[in-house]
């Protein structure tokens, strides 16, 4: 059980990539972080790796801890079970980071996008974030400064039109931004924001991406931990508001 003064966060899709790094940085900020992943073996190994880093550093005091939470954001039953499991370990959640997302290799052309590609992508990237938010709002309401951070993408921006890249993925992120503003309207005491981490060197971003994982995670962590609570219903990159 987290202490009364220790902040608590949940990060979905966090066994690798940006999500893993967000957990690492929040742990360094002193959070008790629940590392959410659908693969139990990978999730437990990731959580143990981060806790081992803390032990090796010999600076347990002032550092947070990491707990694994099994959650498949595409499965409503899994989300409900995760919320029940979470409730046995903490009575409060301060920050929810909806990071879980997919980019299909066959997501290449809007004219050939199949219903299966489209539905699978939106179920994970958009509906998953909404369902997880709904399930964990009861815990967030117990926080003095509840925050929801939806990890979006510049590909979801409508301002300058589209370039045709990964259409289902980009549409899912446009829709995720819609979820953000709707949640912000429904939860006026919350800080609910979307954030673009930039082009990051991960399995999804590829080795040619311009940003390290640490750089990509930085803005997400800032919104989850340091940004002013009054900042809500906005789209961010590098701690600056960008157009929808």
């Amino acid at each position: 059980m987290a202490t009364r003064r220790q902040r608590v966060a949940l990060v979905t899709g966090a066994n690798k990539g940006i999500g893993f790094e967000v957990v690492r940085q929040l742990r360094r900020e002193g959070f008790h972080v629940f590392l959410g992943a659908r693969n139990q073996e990978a999730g437990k190994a990731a959580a143990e790796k981060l806790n081992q880093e803390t032990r090796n550093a010999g600076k347990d005091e002032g550092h947070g801890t990491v707990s694994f939470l099994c959650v498949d954001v595409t499965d409503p039953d899994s989300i409900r079970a995760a919320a029940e499991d979470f409730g046995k370990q903490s009575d409060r959640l301060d920050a929810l980071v909806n990071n879980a997302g997919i980019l299909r290799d066959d997501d290449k052309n809007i004219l050939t996008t199949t219903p299966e590609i489209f539905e699978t992508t939106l179920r994970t990237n958009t509906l998953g974030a909404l369902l997880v938010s709904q399930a964990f709002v009861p815990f967030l309401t117990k926080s003095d400064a509840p925050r929801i951070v939806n990890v979006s993408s510049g590909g979801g921006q409508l301002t300058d039109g589209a370039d045709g890249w990964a259409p289902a993925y980009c549409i899912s992120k446009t829709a995720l931004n819609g979820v953000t503003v709707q949640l912000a309207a429904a939860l006026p005491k919350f800080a609910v924001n979307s954030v673009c981490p930039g082009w990051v060197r991960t399995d999804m971003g590829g080795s040619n991406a311009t940003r390290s994982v640490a750089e990509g995670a930085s803005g997400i962590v800032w919104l989850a931990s340091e940004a002013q609570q009054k900042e809500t219903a906005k789209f961010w990159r590098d701690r600056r508001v960008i157009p929808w």
Side-chain angles (χ1 to χ4, degrees), residues 193-236:
N193 291 282
S194 285
V195 58
C196 171
W199 187 21
V200 180
R201 291 188 293 276
T202 62
D203 289 348
M204 182 184 293
S207 59
N208 292 326
T210 56
R211 295 187 174 197
S212 69
V213 175
E215 290 170 331
S218 177
I220 300 168
V221 172
W222 175 74
L223 282 170
S225 62
E226 299 178 27
Q228 293 186 18
Q229 189 68 18
K230 68 179 181 179
E231 300 290 0
T232 190
K234 296 176 181 177
F235 194 9
W236 300 80

Coordinates of all heavy atoms in Angstrom, one line a residue, residues 193-236:
N193 N -4.7 15.9 -20.4 CA -4.0 16.4 -21.6 C -3.5 15.3 -22.5 O -3.3 14.2 -22.1 CB -2.8 17.2 -21.1 CG -3.2 18.5 -20.4 OD1 -3.5 19.5 -21.0 ND2 -3.1 18.5 -19.1
S194 N -3.4 15.7 -23.8 CA -2.7 14.9 -24.8 C -1.2 15.4 -24.9 O -1.0 16.5 -24.7 CB -3.4 14.9 -26.1 OG -4.6 14.2 -26.2
V195 N -0.3 14.4 -25.3 CA 1.0 14.8 -25.5 C 1.6 14.1 -26.6 O 1.4 12.9 -26.8 CB 1.9 14.6 -24.2 CG1 1.8 13.1 -23.7 CG2 3.3 15.1 -24.4
C196 N 2.4 14.7 -27.4 CA 3.2 14.1 -28.5 C 4.6 14.0 -28.1 O 5.3 15.0 -27.8 CB 3.1 15.0 -29.8 SG 4.3 14.4 -31.1
P197 N 5.2 12.7 -28.0 CA 6.5 12.6 -27.5 C 7.6 12.9 -28.6 O 8.8 12.9 -28.3 CB 6.6 11.1 -27.1 CG 5.6 10.4 -27.9 CD 4.5 11.5 -28.2
G198 N 7.1 13.1 -29.8 CA 8.0 13.2 -30.9 C 8.4 11.9 -31.6 O 7.9 10.8 -31.2
W199 N 9.3 11.9 -32.5 CA 9.8 10.7 -33.2 C 10.9 10.1 -32.4 O 12.0 10.6 -32.3 CB 10.2 11.1 -34.6 CG 10.5 9.9 -35.5 CD1 10.1 8.6 -35.3 CD2 11.4 9.9 -36.6 NE1 10.6 7.8 -36.3 CE2 11.4 8.6 -37.1 CE3 12.1 10.9 -37.3 CZ2 12.1 8.2 -38.3 CZ3 12.8 10.5 -38.4 CH2 12.8 9.2 -38.9
V200 N 10.5 8.9 -31.7 CA 11.4 8.4 -30.7 C 12.0 7.0 -31.2 O 11.3 6.2 -31.8 CB 10.6 8.2 -29.4 CG1 11.5 7.6 -28.3 CG2 10.1 9.5 -28.9
R201 N 13.2 6.7 -30.8 CA 13.9 5.5 -31.2 C 13.3 4.3 -30.3 O 13.9 4.0 -29.2 CB 15.4 5.6 -31.1 CG 16.0 6.5 -32.1 CD 17.5 6.5 -32.1 NE 18.1 7.1 -30.9 CZ 18.3 8.4 -30.7 NH1 18.0 9.2 -31.6 NH2 18.8 8.8 -29.6
T202 N 12.3 3.7 -30.8 CA 11.7 2.6 -30.1 C 11.4 1.5 -31.2 O 11.7 1.7 -32.4 CB 10.3 2.9 -29.4 OG1 9.4 3.4 -30.4 CG2 10.6 4.0 -28.4
D203 N 10.8 0.4 -30.8 CA 10.4 -0.6 -31.8 C 9.4 0.0 -32.8 O 9.5 -0.3 -34.0 CB 9.7 -1.8 -31.1 CG 10.7 -2.7 -30.4 OD1 11.9 -2.5 -30.5 OD2 10.3 -3.5 -29.6
M204 N 8.5 0.9 -32.3 CA 7.6 1.6 -33.2 C 8.2 2.7 -34.0 O 8.0 2.8 -35.2 CB 6.4 2.2 -32.4 CG 5.4 2.8 -33.2 SD 4.0 3.6 -32.2 CE 3.3 2.2 -31.5
G205 N 9.0 3.5 -33.4 CA 9.6 4.6 -34.1 C 10.8 4.3 -35.0 O 11.0 5.0 -36.0
G206 N 11.5 3.2 -34.7 CA 12.6 2.8 -35.6 C 13.9 3.4 -35.1 O 14.0 4.3 -34.4
S207 N 15.0 2.8 -35.7 CA 16.3 3.3 -35.3 C 16.7 4.6 -35.9 O 17.7 5.2 -35.4 CB 17.4 2.2 -35.7 OG 17.3 2.0 -37.1
N208 N 16.0 5.1 -36.9 CA 16.4 6.4 -37.5 C 15.7 7.6 -36.8 O 15.9 8.7 -37.2 CB 16.0 6.4 -39.0 CG 16.9 5.4 -39.8 OD1 18.0 5.2 -39.5 ND2 16.3 4.8 -40.8
A209 N 14.9 7.3 -35.8 CA 14.2 8.4 -35.2 C 15.1 9.4 -34.5 O 16.3 9.0 -34.2 CB 13.2 7.8 -34.1
T210 N 14.7 10.6 -34.4 CA 15.5 11.7 -33.9 C 15.7 11.8 -32.4 O 16.5 12.6 -32.0 CB 15.0 13.0 -34.5 OG1 13.6 13.2 -34.1 CG2 15.1 13.0 -36.0
R211 N 14.8 11.2 -31.7 CA 14.8 11.4 -30.2 C 15.1 10.1 -29.5 O 14.7 9.0 -29.9 CB 13.5 11.9 -29.7 CG 13.2 13.3 -30.2 CD 12.0 13.9 -29.6 NE 11.8 15.3 -30.0 CZ 11.0 16.1 -29.4 NH1 10.3 15.7 -28.3 NH2 10.9 17.4 -29.8
S212 N 15.8 10.2 -28.4 CA 16.0 9.1 -27.5 C 14.8 8.8 -26.7 O 13.8 9.6 -26.6 CB 17.2 9.4 -26.5 OG 16.8 10.4 -25.6
V213 N 14.7 7.6 -26.1 CA 13.5 7.3 -25.3 C 13.4 8.2 -24.1 O 12.3 8.6 -23.8 CB 13.6 5.8 -24.8 CG1 12.5 5.5 -23.9 CG2 13.6 4.8 -26.0
A214 N 14.5 8.6 -23.5 CA 14.5 9.5 -22.4 C 13.9 10.8 -22.8 O 13.1 11.5 -22.1 CB 15.9 9.7 -21.8
E215 N 14.3 11.3 -24.0 CA 13.8 12.6 -24.5 C 12.3 12.5 -24.7 O 11.5 13.4 -24.4 CB 14.5 13.0 -25.7 CG 16.0 13.4 -25.5 CD 16.8 13.6 -26.7 OE1 16.5 12.9 -27.7 OE2 17.7 14.4 -26.7
G216 N 11.8 11.4 -25.3 CA 10.4 11.2 -25.6 C 9.6 11.1 -24.4 O 8.5 11.6 -24.3
A217 N 10.1 10.5 -23.3 CA 9.4 10.3 -22.1 C 9.3 11.6 -21.3 O 8.4 11.8 -20.5 CB 10.0 9.2 -21.2
S218 N 10.2 12.5 -21.4 CA 10.3 13.7 -20.6 C 9.1 14.5 -20.5 O 8.6 14.9 -19.4 CB 11.5 14.5 -21.0 OG 11.6 15.7 -20.3
G219 N 8.5 14.8 -21.6 CA 7.3 15.7 -21.6 C 6.1 15.0 -21.0 O 5.2 15.6 -20.4
I220 N 6.0 13.7 -21.2 CA 4.9 12.9 -20.6 C 5.1 12.9 -19.0 O 4.1 13.2 -18.3 CB 5.0 11.4 -21.0 CG1 4.9 11.4 -22.6 CG2 3.9 10.6 -20.4 CD1 5.2 10.0 -23.2
V221 N 6.3 12.7 -18.5 CA 6.5 12.7 -17.1 C 6.2 14.1 -16.5 O 5.7 14.2 -15.4 CB 8.0 12.3 -16.8 CG1 8.3 12.5 -15.3 CG2 8.2 10.9 -17.2
W222 N 6.6 15.1 -17.2 CA 6.3 16.5 -16.8 C 4.8 16.7 -16.6 O 4.4 17.3 -15.6 CB 6.9 17.5 -17.8 CG 6.6 18.9 -17.5 CD1 7.1 19.7 -16.5 CD2 5.6 19.8 -18.2 NE1 6.6 21.0 -16.5 CE2 5.7 21.0 -17.5 CE3 4.8 19.6 -19.2 CZ2 4.9 22.1 -18.0 CZ3 4.0 20.6 -19.6 CH2 4.0 21.8 -19.0
L223 N 4.0 16.3 -17.5 CA 2.6 16.5 -17.4 C 2.0 15.6 -16.3 O 1.1 16.1 -15.6 CB 1.9 16.1 -18.7 CG 1.9 17.1 -19.8 CD1 1.4 16.5 -21.1 CD2 1.1 18.4 -19.5
A224 N 2.6 14.5 -16.0 CA 2.1 13.6 -15.0 C 2.5 14.1 -13.6 O 1.9 13.7 -12.6 CB 2.6 12.2 -15.2
S225 N 3.6 14.9 -13.5 CA 4.1 15.2 -12.2 C 4.3 16.7 -11.8 O 4.2 17.0 -10.7 CB 5.5 14.5 -12.0 OG 6.4 14.9 -13.0
E226 N 4.7 17.5 -12.8 CA 5.1 18.8 -12.5 C 4.3 20.0 -13.1 O 4.3 21.1 -12.6 CB 6.6 19.0 -13.0 CG 7.6 18.1 -12.3 CD 9.0 18.3 -12.9 OE1 9.2 19.4 -13.3 OE2 9.8 17.4 -12.9
A227 N 3.6 19.7 -14.2 CA 2.8 20.8 -14.9 C 1.8 21.3 -13.9 O 1.3 20.6 -13.0 CB 2.2 20.3 -16.1
Q228 N 1.4 22.6 -14.1 CA 0.4 23.2 -13.2 C -0.9 22.5 -13.4 O -1.3 22.2 -14.5 CB 0.3 24.7 -13.5 CG 1.5 25.5 -13.2 CD 1.3 27.0 -13.3 OE1 0.1 27.5 -13.4 NE2 2.4 27.7 -13.4
Q229 N -1.6 22.3 -12.3 CA -2.9 21.6 -12.4 C -3.9 22.3 -13.2 O -4.8 21.6 -13.8 CB -3.4 21.4 -10.9 CG -4.6 20.5 -10.8 CD -4.3 19.0 -11.1 OE1 -3.1 18.6 -11.1 NE2 -5.3 18.2 -11.4
K230 N -3.8 23.6 -13.4 CA -4.8 24.3 -14.2 C -4.7 24.0 -15.7 O -5.6 24.4 -16.5 CB -4.7 25.8 -13.9 CG -3.4 26.4 -14.5 CD -3.3 27.9 -14.2 CE -2.0 28.5 -14.8 NZ -1.9 29.9 -14.5
E231 N -3.6 23.4 -16.1 CA -3.3 23.1 -17.5 C -4.1 21.9 -17.9 O -3.8 20.8 -17.4 CB -1.9 23.0 -17.8 CG -1.0 24.2 -17.5 CD -1.2 25.3 -18.4 OE1 -2.1 25.2 -19.3 OE2 -0.6 26.4 -18.2
T232 N -5.2 22.0 -18.6 CA -6.0 20.9 -19.0 C -6.6 21.1 -20.4 O -6.7 22.2 -20.9 CB -7.1 20.6 -17.9 OG1 -7.7 19.4 -18.2 CG2 -8.1 21.8 -17.9
A233 N -7.0 20.0 -21.0 CA -7.7 20.0 -22.3 C -6.8 20.7 -23.4 O -7.2 21.4 -24.2 CB -9.0 20.8 -22.3
K234 N -5.5 20.3 -23.3 CA -4.5 20.9 -24.3 C -3.7 19.7 -24.9 O -3.6 18.6 -24.4 CB -3.6 21.9 -23.6 CG -4.4 23.1 -23.1 CD -3.5 24.1 -22.3 CE -4.3 25.3 -21.8 NZ -3.4 26.2 -21.0
F235 N -3.0 20.1 -26.0 CA -2.1 19.2 -26.7 C -0.7 19.7 -26.6 O -0.5 20.9 -26.9 CB -2.6 19.1 -28.1 CG -2.0 17.9 -28.9 CD1 -1.2 16.9 -28.3 CD2 -2.2 17.9 -30.3 CE1 -0.7 15.9 -29.1 CE2 -1.7 16.8 -31.1 CZ -0.9 15.8 -30.4
W236 N 0.2 18.9 -26.1 CA 1.6 19.4 -25.8 C 2.6 18.6 -26.5 O 2.5 17.5 -26.9 CB 1.8 19.2 -24.3 CG 0.9 19.9 -23.4 CD1 -0.4 19.5 -23.0 CD2 1.1 21.1 -22.7 NE1 -0.9 20.4 -22.1 CE2 0.0 21.4 -21.9 CE3 2.2 22.0 -22.6 CZ2 -0.1 22.5 -21.1 CZ3 2.1 23.1 -21.8 CH2 1.0 23.3 -21.1

